[in-house]
Amino acid sequence: NNPPWPAYRGYHEYSFAHATMQSRLPTILGKAIEDATRTLNSQSSEERVVDLVQCIDRMGDLMIDLSGNAKLRPIIDDDEADVALWNKEIAKYFQGKDFMNAPWLFAEAYKYRRLHEAFSISKFWRDYDVFYRQKCDTFSRSSDAVFELSLRFAEPFKINESLSPKEKLEAERLMFLELTQVCLWGNSTDLSLLINMTEDQIKSLQSTGGDSLAATEKNILGNDMHRLWDRVRQLREKTGGRIDFVLDNAGFELYCDCVYADFLIQSGLANQIRFHGKRYPWFVSDVTKKDWEWLLNTMVYGQLFPKASDAERESLRRLGLRWKQYEKEGKWVYEQHPFWCTGYTFWDLHSEAPDLFLHLSRSDLVIFKGDLNHRKLTYDCAAPASTQFEDAIGPMASSAGAPVIASLRTIKSDVVVGLGPQGDEISDELTKNEPGWKISGKYAVVLLSEGRPG
Ligand code: F6P
Ligand code: MG
């Protein structure tokens, strides 16, 4: 049950797979070792220090394996809910494979699993997150865009009552389209690509502003946003419209996701939002439960933005309080299924995690955020850009019970599909004129699959 196109692998020098496996991953791991060393230097208890030194040594072993292109060994049984899935996949498909000749998607995920293993078999450091400092720090440097959104959306969303029903619907449509873009472009600040970003670089990536909306829409190369609205507006008639977010990054992107989800609840388009995060640190900036809690608590109680005005601080606090209330009322639910931290693509979701598939099939819309989720949906393979999204995601579109799926993704890696019948020419043209277009995050896709009734 595989697509007809080859998956990208580390030895494909023409692809981003090569640069990632060869240099990005060792750099990321090096930074992770620095972080753990910083923590080590602040510890006092001998037991904890010795335990952490062992974690750092294991990270060192991983560095040797990664840079020496070692064969992929099984994951040590650390009682994680996903360990059996990992070792099953390794035994079935990747025996004897190394970091460079295994599919990129798998090898990269495997690296993050081994990094977790360095801590998960320790006594005191099981839940240590080597990326946590970075995630918090980047959010604290995003103040302009954070307050731009909080000042606008702290006040509950209300449509002018004097408008006719048609005008009301139009106002709502425009808001939906704008916030879909806010949610989409929130994905361009991803820490795995933006190590050492300056304040100005963050700012330019996070401009959420009204005037630029039409301009940024031009960069959505496969754009099903308007079809998505048609789908979502029908939800209000249903009792119990449920929308799921398969989350990507913590901090600013998660904040944008929540602004969007807040609107979906307030407008009555959805009654419940379910957020799916990761069980442990993943691809540097992905959301864990701790990141989720940190965001909400820092909004309400934090002192992250010393230069903020009272009005700014208050707007953020009000938003945070409302979101916490949604959680209390069960309107927002945070979940973390083990499958999200495996090396499987979503072509295998229905067979390897049938409970999760069934759970998602009960949703009215599942929004997959970001580049990695998009790679997983599309098997991370060299499909032509004109390939229809439904064909590219295989069983996630064609299996009985497949939910309606939207992928909101800024393009940060090789696989690009869903650009329409002229897609191959568009892609060739961009490759000729803007060689880095597939990794810059300047372009995006919003693609929709209608699903299949069970
Ligand atoms: O390492 C490559 C990658 O998986 C790319 O897909 C992307 O550059 C990044 O890491 C993750 O991006 P995102 O956070 O949007 O999934
Ligand atoms: Mg990510």
Side-chain angles (χ1 to χ4, degrees), residues 24 104 108 187 190 192-193 248-249 371-372 375 412:
R24 276 179 67 226
W104 172 28
E108 192 175 13
N187 177 242
D190 141 42
S192 76
L193 288 173
D248 187 2
N249 301 315
D371 197 81
L372 175 63
R375 290 171 63 200
K412 291 185 274 188

Side-chain angles (χ1 to χ4, degrees), residues 28-29 31-32 35 111-112 115 128-136 191 281-285:
I28 289 169
L29 184 56
K31 290 220 154 227
D35 174 275
K111 178 230 139 171
Y112 287 97
L115 177 58
Y128 186 72
D129 182 350
V130 286
F131 306 121
Y132 189 63
R133 277 194 186 99
Q134 243 178 296
K135 287 184 269 195
C136 301
L191 296 177
W282 191 244
F283 282 69
V284 186
S285 34

Side-chain angles (χ1 to χ4, degrees), residues 9 166 339 366:
R9 290 169 199 262
K166 210 168 146 212
F339 182 78
V366 185

Side-chain angles (χ1 to χ4, degrees), residues 67-254:
S67 27
N69 192 26
K71 292 205 167 113
L72 310 180
R73 62 150 172 82
I75 299 296
I76 297 173
D77 188 354
D78 55 3
D79 274 343
E80 279 296 352
D82 60 28
V83 73
L85 273 174
W86 270 102
N87 288 336
K88 177 172 142 189
E89 195 179 11
I90 294 171
K92 225 168 148 183
Y93 304 109
F94 303 120
Q95 294 224 33
K97 286 274 186 284
D98 56 44
F99 281 90
M100 281 296 182
N101 68 16
W104 172 28
L105 184 60
F106 182 81
E108 192 175 13
Y110 175 84
K111 178 230 139 171
Y112 287 97
R113 183 60 178 87
R114 282 277 304 272
L115 177 58
H116 178 56
E117 183 203 270
F119 292 90
S120 63
I121 58 176
S122 74
K123 185 164 172 206
F124 298 102
W125 301 93
R126 219 191 140 85
D127 299 319
Y128 186 72
D129 182 350
V130 286
F131 306 121
Y132 189 63
R133 277 194 186 99
Q134 243 178 296
K135 287 184 269 195
C136 301
D137 184 54
T138 311
F139 187 71
S140 74
R141 293 192 290 140
S142 308
S143 56
D144 283 16
V146 166
F147 290 128
E148 191 180 328
L149 290 171
S150 66
L151 287 170
R152 235 182 108 194
F153 295 106
E155 191 61 35
F157 172 75
K158 242 202 242 113
I159 294 190
N160 187 341
E161 282 307 319
S162 63
L163 297 177
S164 71
K166 210 168 146 212
E167 287 167 332
K168 278 187 190 157
L169 191 63
E170 180 59 7
E172 205 171 58
R173 185 183 76 93
L174 292 174
M175 185 61 95
F176 175 83
L177 293 175
E178 176 174 354
L179 287 176
T180 305
Q181 279 212 58
V182 166
C183 180
L184 167 69
W185 297 109
N187 177 242
S188 36
T189 18
D190 141 42
L191 296 177
S192 76
L193 288 173
L194 303 166
I195 306 169
N196 299 334
M197 231 178 344
T198 67
E199 217 107 339
D200 284 343
Q201 283 167 320
I202 300 180
K203 247 185 238 171
S204 76
L205 279 167
Q206 295 179 338
S207 63
T208 55
D211 289 351
S212 60
L213 272 184
T216 49
E217 188 167 350
K218 289 205 191 82
N219 289 349
I220 305 176
L221 302 176
N223 184 357
D224 291 338
M225 248 186 350
H226 302 269
R227 269 174 65 209
L228 183 61
W229 165 246
D230 277 338
R231 266 277 166 186
V232 170
R233 83 190 165 96
Q234 290 164 23
L235 292 183
R236 197 185 349 240
E237 278 99 69
K238 297 183 86 160
T239 40
R242 166 182 150 193
I243 296 183
D244 287 49
F245 281 74
V246 181
L247 296 171
D248 187 2
N249 301 315
F252 185 69
E253 178 170 356
L254 177 61

